Short mmCIF file of all heavy atoms in Angstrom, two decimals:
data_model
loop_
_atom_site.label_atom_id
_atom_site.label_comp_id
_atom_site.label_asym_id
_atom_site.label_seq_id
_atom_site.Cartn_x
_atom_site.Cartn_y
_atom_site.Cartn_z
N ILE A 1 -69.45 -60.39 -41.74
CA ILE A 1 -70.82 -60.88 -41.49
C ILE A 1 -70.86 -61.80 -40.26
O ILE A 1 -71.91 -62.35 -39.93
CB ILE A 1 -71.41 -61.60 -42.72
CG1 ILE A 1 -70.62 -62.88 -43.04
CG2 ILE A 1 -71.45 -60.66 -43.92
CD1 ILE A 1 -71.24 -63.73 -44.15
N ASN A 2 -69.70 -61.94 -39.62
CA ASN A 2 -69.58 -62.73 -38.39
C ASN A 2 -70.00 -64.18 -38.56
O ASN A 2 -70.65 -64.77 -37.69
CB ASN A 2 -70.38 -62.08 -37.25
CG ASN A 2 -69.85 -62.45 -35.88
OD1 ASN A 2 -68.66 -62.69 -35.72
ND2 ASN A 2 -70.73 -62.52 -34.90
N LYS A 3 -69.61 -64.75 -39.69
CA LYS A 3 -69.87 -66.17 -39.93
C LYS A 3 -68.77 -67.00 -39.26
O LYS A 3 -67.59 -66.78 -39.51
CB LYS A 3 -69.88 -66.47 -41.44
CG LYS A 3 -70.08 -67.93 -41.82
CD LYS A 3 -71.40 -68.48 -41.32
CE LYS A 3 -72.62 -67.76 -41.88
NZ LYS A 3 -73.89 -68.37 -41.41
N PRO A 4 -69.13 -67.96 -38.39
CA PRO A 4 -68.10 -68.76 -37.71
C PRO A 4 -67.17 -69.47 -38.70
O PRO A 4 -67.63 -70.05 -39.69
CB PRO A 4 -68.94 -69.77 -36.92
CG PRO A 4 -70.24 -69.07 -36.67
CD PRO A 4 -70.48 -68.28 -37.92
N VAL A 5 -65.88 -69.39 -38.41
CA VAL A 5 -64.86 -69.94 -39.32
C VAL A 5 -63.81 -70.70 -38.53
O VAL A 5 -63.42 -70.29 -37.44
CB VAL A 5 -64.19 -68.81 -40.13
CG1 VAL A 5 -62.90 -69.28 -40.79
CG2 VAL A 5 -65.13 -68.28 -41.21
N TRP A 6 -63.38 -71.82 -39.10
CA TRP A 6 -62.15 -72.48 -38.67
C TRP A 6 -61.13 -72.27 -39.79
O TRP A 6 -61.41 -72.56 -40.96
CB TRP A 6 -62.34 -73.98 -38.46
CG TRP A 6 -63.23 -74.37 -37.32
CD1 TRP A 6 -63.99 -73.54 -36.53
CD2 TRP A 6 -63.46 -75.70 -36.85
NE1 TRP A 6 -64.68 -74.26 -35.60
CE2 TRP A 6 -64.38 -75.61 -35.76
CE3 TRP A 6 -63.00 -76.96 -37.23
CZ2 TRP A 6 -64.83 -76.72 -35.07
CZ3 TRP A 6 -63.45 -78.07 -36.54
CH2 TRP A 6 -64.36 -77.96 -35.47
N ILE A 7 -59.98 -71.73 -39.45
CA ILE A 7 -58.90 -71.54 -40.43
C ILE A 7 -57.99 -72.76 -40.40
O ILE A 7 -57.58 -73.22 -39.34
CB ILE A 7 -58.07 -70.27 -40.12
CG1 ILE A 7 -58.94 -69.01 -40.18
CG2 ILE A 7 -56.88 -70.17 -41.08
CD1 ILE A 7 -59.37 -68.62 -41.58
N ARG A 8 -57.67 -73.26 -41.60
CA ARG A 8 -56.76 -74.41 -41.71
C ARG A 8 -55.57 -74.04 -42.59
O ARG A 8 -55.72 -73.32 -43.58
CB ARG A 8 -57.51 -75.60 -42.31
CG ARG A 8 -58.62 -76.13 -41.42
CD ARG A 8 -59.48 -77.13 -42.15
NE ARG A 8 -59.84 -78.24 -41.28
CZ ARG A 8 -60.46 -79.34 -41.70
NH1 ARG A 8 -60.78 -79.49 -42.97
NH2 ARG A 8 -60.76 -80.30 -40.85
N HIS A 9 -54.41 -74.57 -42.21
CA HIS A 9 -53.19 -74.30 -42.97
C HIS A 9 -52.39 -75.59 -43.10
O HIS A 9 -52.02 -76.20 -42.08
CB HIS A 9 -52.36 -73.24 -42.26
CG HIS A 9 -51.08 -72.89 -42.97
ND1 HIS A 9 -51.04 -72.26 -44.20
CD2 HIS A 9 -49.77 -73.11 -42.62
CE1 HIS A 9 -49.79 -72.09 -44.57
NE2 HIS A 9 -49.00 -72.60 -43.64
N VAL A 10 -52.16 -76.02 -44.33
CA VAL A 10 -51.37 -77.23 -44.57
C VAL A 10 -49.89 -76.87 -44.46
O VAL A 10 -49.40 -75.98 -45.15
CB VAL A 10 -51.68 -77.84 -45.95
CG1 VAL A 10 -50.84 -79.09 -46.17
CG2 VAL A 10 -53.16 -78.17 -46.07
N LEU A 11 -49.19 -77.58 -43.57
CA LEU A 11 -47.78 -77.29 -43.32
C LEU A 11 -46.92 -78.20 -44.20
O LEU A 11 -46.86 -79.41 -44.00
CB LEU A 11 -47.46 -77.52 -41.85
CG LEU A 11 -46.09 -77.02 -41.37
CD1 LEU A 11 -46.06 -75.49 -41.37
CD2 LEU A 11 -45.76 -77.56 -39.99
N VAL A 12 -46.24 -77.58 -45.18
CA VAL A 12 -45.42 -78.33 -46.12
C VAL A 12 -43.97 -77.81 -46.05
O VAL A 12 -43.73 -76.63 -46.31
CB VAL A 12 -45.92 -78.16 -47.57
CG1 VAL A 12 -45.15 -79.08 -48.52
CG2 VAL A 12 -47.41 -78.40 -47.67
N PRO A 13 -43.02 -78.67 -45.71
CA PRO A 13 -41.61 -78.25 -45.71
C PRO A 13 -41.21 -77.67 -47.08
O PRO A 13 -41.66 -78.14 -48.12
CB PRO A 13 -40.85 -79.55 -45.43
CG PRO A 13 -41.83 -80.38 -44.65
CD PRO A 13 -43.18 -80.06 -45.26
N GLN A 14 -40.41 -76.59 -47.03
CA GLN A 14 -39.90 -75.92 -48.23
C GLN A 14 -40.99 -75.18 -49.02
O GLN A 14 -40.73 -74.65 -50.10
CB GLN A 14 -39.20 -76.91 -49.17
CG GLN A 14 -38.05 -77.67 -48.51
CD GLN A 14 -37.43 -78.68 -49.45
OE1 GLN A 14 -37.25 -78.42 -50.65
NE2 GLN A 14 -37.08 -79.86 -48.92
N ARG A 15 -42.21 -75.17 -48.51
CA ARG A 15 -43.30 -74.51 -49.23
C ARG A 15 -44.10 -73.56 -48.34
O ARG A 15 -44.28 -72.40 -48.68
CB ARG A 15 -44.27 -75.54 -49.84
CG ARG A 15 -43.68 -76.44 -50.92
CD ARG A 15 -43.30 -75.68 -52.16
NE ARG A 15 -42.94 -76.56 -53.26
CZ ARG A 15 -41.73 -77.09 -53.44
NH1 ARG A 15 -40.76 -76.83 -52.57
NH2 ARG A 15 -41.48 -77.87 -54.48
N THR A 16 -44.59 -74.04 -47.20
CA THR A 16 -45.51 -73.22 -46.40
C THR A 16 -45.12 -73.12 -44.93
O THR A 16 -45.93 -72.67 -44.12
CB THR A 16 -46.94 -73.81 -46.47
OG1 THR A 16 -46.98 -75.06 -45.75
CG2 THR A 16 -47.40 -74.03 -47.89
N ASP A 17 -43.89 -73.52 -44.59
CA ASP A 17 -43.54 -73.57 -43.17
C ASP A 17 -42.49 -72.55 -42.75
O ASP A 17 -41.91 -72.65 -41.66
CB ASP A 17 -43.08 -74.98 -42.78
CG ASP A 17 -41.70 -75.33 -43.35
OD1 ASP A 17 -41.31 -74.70 -44.36
OD2 ASP A 17 -41.04 -76.21 -42.78
N GLU A 18 -42.25 -71.52 -43.57
CA GLU A 18 -41.28 -70.49 -43.20
C GLU A 18 -41.88 -69.60 -42.11
O GLU A 18 -43.00 -69.12 -42.22
CB GLU A 18 -40.92 -69.64 -44.42
CG GLU A 18 -40.17 -70.39 -45.51
CD GLU A 18 -39.93 -69.53 -46.73
OE1 GLU A 18 -39.00 -68.70 -46.68
OE2 GLU A 18 -40.68 -69.66 -47.71
N ASP A 19 -41.09 -69.35 -41.08
CA ASP A 19 -41.58 -68.59 -39.93
C ASP A 19 -42.11 -67.21 -40.32
O ASP A 19 -43.12 -66.75 -39.78
CB ASP A 19 -40.47 -68.43 -38.89
CG ASP A 19 -40.23 -69.70 -38.09
OD1 ASP A 19 -40.80 -70.75 -38.48
OD2 ASP A 19 -39.48 -69.66 -37.10
N ILE A 20 -41.43 -66.54 -41.25
CA ILE A 20 -41.84 -65.19 -41.63
C ILE A 20 -43.28 -65.17 -42.16
O ILE A 20 -44.06 -64.27 -41.86
CB ILE A 20 -40.86 -64.58 -42.66
CG1 ILE A 20 -41.23 -63.13 -42.95
CG2 ILE A 20 -40.80 -65.42 -43.94
CD1 ILE A 20 -40.22 -62.41 -43.84
N PHE A 21 -43.63 -66.20 -42.91
CA PHE A 21 -44.98 -66.25 -43.48
C PHE A 21 -46.00 -66.81 -42.48
O PHE A 21 -47.16 -66.42 -42.51
CB PHE A 21 -44.98 -67.05 -44.78
CG PHE A 21 -44.15 -66.41 -45.85
CD1 PHE A 21 -43.06 -67.07 -46.40
CD2 PHE A 21 -44.44 -65.13 -46.31
CE1 PHE A 21 -42.28 -66.48 -47.38
CE2 PHE A 21 -43.68 -64.52 -47.29
CZ PHE A 21 -42.59 -65.20 -47.83
N LEU A 22 -45.56 -67.70 -41.62
CA LEU A 22 -46.45 -68.18 -40.56
C LEU A 22 -46.84 -67.02 -39.65
O LEU A 22 -48.00 -66.89 -39.24
CB LEU A 22 -45.77 -69.28 -39.75
CG LEU A 22 -45.57 -70.63 -40.47
CD1 LEU A 22 -44.73 -71.56 -39.61
CD2 LEU A 22 -46.90 -71.28 -40.81
N LYS A 23 -45.88 -66.13 -39.35
CA LYS A 23 -46.16 -64.96 -38.51
C LYS A 23 -47.09 -63.99 -39.23
O LYS A 23 -47.98 -63.39 -38.61
CB LYS A 23 -44.85 -64.28 -38.11
CG LYS A 23 -44.02 -65.10 -37.14
CD LYS A 23 -42.67 -64.47 -36.87
CE LYS A 23 -41.83 -65.33 -35.92
NZ LYS A 23 -40.46 -64.78 -35.72
N GLU A 24 -46.88 -63.85 -40.53
CA GLU A 24 -47.76 -62.97 -41.32
C GLU A 24 -49.18 -63.52 -41.35
O GLU A 24 -50.16 -62.77 -41.24
CB GLU A 24 -47.21 -62.83 -42.74
CG GLU A 24 -47.92 -61.77 -43.57
CD GLU A 24 -47.30 -61.59 -44.94
OE1 GLU A 24 -46.11 -61.94 -45.11
OE2 GLU A 24 -48.01 -61.08 -45.84
N LEU A 25 -49.30 -64.84 -41.50
CA LEU A 25 -50.62 -65.47 -41.48
C LEU A 25 -51.27 -65.31 -40.12
O LEU A 25 -52.47 -65.01 -40.02
CB LEU A 25 -50.49 -66.96 -41.84
CG LEU A 25 -51.77 -67.79 -41.76
CD1 LEU A 25 -52.86 -67.22 -42.67
CD2 LEU A 25 -51.48 -69.25 -42.12
N SER A 26 -50.49 -65.48 -39.06
CA SER A 26 -51.02 -65.31 -37.70
C SER A 26 -51.54 -63.90 -37.50
O SER A 26 -52.61 -63.70 -36.89
CB SER A 26 -49.93 -65.62 -36.67
OG SER A 26 -50.42 -65.50 -35.37
N GLN A 27 -50.82 -62.91 -38.01
CA GLN A 27 -51.26 -61.52 -37.89
C GLN A 27 -52.57 -61.31 -38.64
O GLN A 27 -53.49 -60.64 -38.14
CB GLN A 27 -50.18 -60.58 -38.43
CG GLN A 27 -50.57 -59.11 -38.41
CD GLN A 27 -50.87 -58.58 -37.02
OE1 GLN A 27 -50.22 -58.97 -36.04
NE2 GLN A 27 -51.86 -57.70 -36.91
N PHE A 28 -52.66 -61.87 -39.83
CA PHE A 28 -53.89 -61.75 -40.62
C PHE A 28 -55.08 -62.35 -39.87
O PHE A 28 -56.15 -61.75 -39.77
CB PHE A 28 -53.72 -62.44 -41.98
CG PHE A 28 -54.97 -62.45 -42.82
CD1 PHE A 28 -55.35 -61.33 -43.53
CD2 PHE A 28 -55.77 -63.59 -42.88
CE1 PHE A 28 -56.51 -61.32 -44.30
CE2 PHE A 28 -56.92 -63.60 -43.65
CZ PHE A 28 -57.29 -62.46 -44.36
N ILE A 29 -54.88 -63.55 -39.32
CA ILE A 29 -55.96 -64.22 -38.59
C ILE A 29 -56.38 -63.41 -37.37
O ILE A 29 -57.57 -63.34 -37.04
CB ILE A 29 -55.51 -65.64 -38.18
CG1 ILE A 29 -55.32 -66.52 -39.43
CG2 ILE A 29 -56.53 -66.29 -37.24
CD1 ILE A 29 -54.70 -67.87 -39.14
N SER A 30 -55.41 -62.78 -36.71
CA SER A 30 -55.71 -62.02 -35.49
C SER A 30 -56.62 -60.83 -35.77
O SER A 30 -57.28 -60.32 -34.86
CB SER A 30 -54.42 -61.54 -34.83
OG SER A 30 -53.81 -60.48 -35.56
N GLU A 31 -56.65 -60.39 -37.02
CA GLU A 31 -57.48 -59.24 -37.39
C GLU A 31 -58.92 -59.64 -37.73
O GLU A 31 -59.77 -58.79 -37.95
CB GLU A 31 -56.84 -58.50 -38.56
CG GLU A 31 -55.48 -57.88 -38.21
CD GLU A 31 -54.70 -57.41 -39.42
OE1 GLU A 31 -55.25 -57.53 -40.55
OE2 GLU A 31 -53.56 -56.94 -39.25
N LEU A 32 -59.18 -60.94 -37.78
CA LEU A 32 -60.52 -61.44 -38.06
C LEU A 32 -61.24 -61.67 -36.73
O LEU A 32 -60.65 -62.15 -35.77
CB LEU A 32 -60.45 -62.74 -38.86
CG LEU A 32 -59.65 -62.71 -40.16
CD1 LEU A 32 -59.55 -64.12 -40.75
CD2 LEU A 32 -60.26 -61.74 -41.16
N LYS A 33 -62.52 -61.35 -36.68
CA LYS A 33 -63.26 -61.43 -35.41
C LYS A 33 -64.13 -62.67 -35.29
O LYS A 33 -64.81 -62.87 -34.28
CB LYS A 33 -64.14 -60.19 -35.24
CG LYS A 33 -65.23 -60.06 -36.31
CD LYS A 33 -66.04 -58.78 -36.11
CE LYS A 33 -67.15 -58.67 -37.15
NZ LYS A 33 -67.94 -57.43 -37.00
N ASN A 34 -64.10 -63.53 -36.31
CA ASN A 34 -65.05 -64.65 -36.35
C ASN A 34 -64.38 -66.02 -36.29
O ASN A 34 -65.04 -67.05 -36.46
CB ASN A 34 -65.85 -64.58 -37.66
CG ASN A 34 -64.95 -64.65 -38.88
OD1 ASN A 34 -63.81 -64.19 -38.86
ND2 ASN A 34 -65.47 -65.21 -39.95
N VAL A 35 -63.06 -66.05 -36.07
CA VAL A 35 -62.32 -67.32 -36.11
C VAL A 35 -62.49 -68.05 -34.78
O VAL A 35 -62.07 -67.58 -33.73
CB VAL A 35 -60.83 -67.08 -36.40
CG1 VAL A 35 -60.07 -68.40 -36.39
CG2 VAL A 35 -60.66 -66.40 -37.76
N GLU A 36 -63.09 -69.23 -34.84
CA GLU A 36 -63.31 -70.03 -33.65
C GLU A 36 -62.14 -70.99 -33.37
O GLU A 36 -61.92 -71.37 -32.22
CB GLU A 36 -64.58 -70.87 -33.81
CG GLU A 36 -65.86 -70.05 -33.87
CD GLU A 36 -67.10 -70.91 -33.88
OE1 GLU A 36 -66.99 -72.13 -34.15
OE2 GLU A 36 -68.19 -70.38 -33.63
#
C-alpha cells in the first residue's frame, strides 16, 4: 500500500547480531519499496 516505513532492529550480542541473519534481514528490506 506504499505506506512510508522506518525499519528498526535492536542489536543484541549473542541474540540478533549474527552476520548471516543481518544479511537475511537486509535482503528482506531490499525487497520492500516503501522503506525510507
Side-chain angles (χ1 to χ4, degrees):
I1 65 174
N2 205 30
K3 178 60 61 177
V5 165
W6 293 7
I7 298 289
R8 295 170 140 188
H9 180 67
V10 180
L11 191 70
V12 187
Q14 303 177 40
R15 295 294 189 276
T16 70
D17 72 337
E18 294 176 79
D19 284 9
I20 184 173
F21 296 119
L22 290 173
K23 291 174 181 176
E24 189 176 337
L25 176 58
S26 182
Q27 178 60 37
F28 176 79
I29 293 172
S30 73
E31 296 168 2
L32 306 174
K33 63 182 182 181
N34 60 328
V35 178
E36 294 186 344

